[in-house]
Amino acid sequence: AGCDVCVHYGSSGNEAAQVVGEIAARGRKGVCLEADLGKPDAPGALRRSVAEVFGPIDILINNASYWPSPARLDAAHDLLSESVENWDYTLAVNARAPFFLIQEFAPTLGRDGKGIIINILDESISSPYLDRAAHTVSKWALEAVTALAARALAPSVRVVGIELGAILPGDGM
């Protein structure tokens, strides 16, 4: 749609490079930037890197999501077996990072009243994953971040959450 695109990735560098290749094939500029969104300094570092390449941006899509191994839906991450380490990292990537990415990018997003932030939610919002406690809570937190940002940044920045269905089906689904 005529956009230049920064593709952030955590560990999928080859896949991100393929997406940038597709962007280039459409005549637009694309760049890959790596960052571990589980680290507290990642949002600021990512914003600075994006600013070096593109300057201010118009659209921020918070699409990163942590889904721990094993990827099976029957893995032991339920209410009674969730670990502190998985809880902390999942909430860091799925809720804390989008909050602070919004904080980092919002000052320039609404410069012309056309800023957009899209937060990607999933079906755990309407149907909690009983076997993925931290993931479910993190997506509910992201829904709250979305509502807060929508009110705080209006009218210069539109903020929406998109609740998608199953994205990566687990074994046996």
Side-chain angles (χ1 to χ4, degrees):
C3 292
D4 294 328
V5 181
C6 171
V7 177
H8 157 264
Y9 68 94
S11 60
S12 303
N14 291 336
E15 292 85 349
Q18 286 179 324
V19 171
V20 167
E22 293 173 20
I23 292 165
R26 294 175 184 241
R28 301 307 310 175
K29 181 178 181 179
V31 64
C32 297
L33 295 174
E34 187 276 333
D36 179 354
L37 294 179
K39 296 183 177 178
D41 62 345
L46 192 55
R47 192 224 6 106
R48 289 187 295 278
S49 296
V50 170
E52 287 177 15
V53 177
F54 292 115
I57 65 170
D58 297 313
I59 303 167
L60 172 64
I61 301 173
N62 286 311
N63 187 44
S65 185
Y66 177 65
W67 187 267
S69 292
R72 297 184 337 266
L73 284 179
D74 62 347
H77 294 284
D78 64 15
L79 179 69
L80 300 178
S81 62
E82 186 65 80
S83 70
V84 170
E85 295 79 16
N86 185 66
W87 173 274
D88 287 347
Y89 194 77
T90 301
L91 269 76
V93 171
N94 297 1
R96 184 184 72 201
F99 180 94
F100 288 103
L101 284 164
I102 291 169
Q103 192 178 76
E104 288 286 338
F105 284 101
T108 59
L109 273 171
R111 67 189 184 285
D112 59 3
K114 296 181 183 176
I116 303 169
I117 297 170
I118 301 169
N119 291 331
I120 304 298
L121 306 169
D122 65 31
E123 66 182 350
S124 67
I125 296 297
S126 57
S127 181
Y129 297 154
L130 297 178
D131 48 7
R132 294 293 173 161
H135 180 86
T136 296
V137 170
S138 72
K139 290 299 183 170
W140 287 3
L142 182 56
E143 183 178 41
V145 168
T146 302
L148 175 66
R151 293 191 62 195
L153 301 176
S156 61
V157 178
R158 289 179 292 150
V159 182
V160 298
I162 300 174
E163 181 185 339
L164 302 172
I167 299 170
L168 297 174
D171 295 342
M173 286 188 71

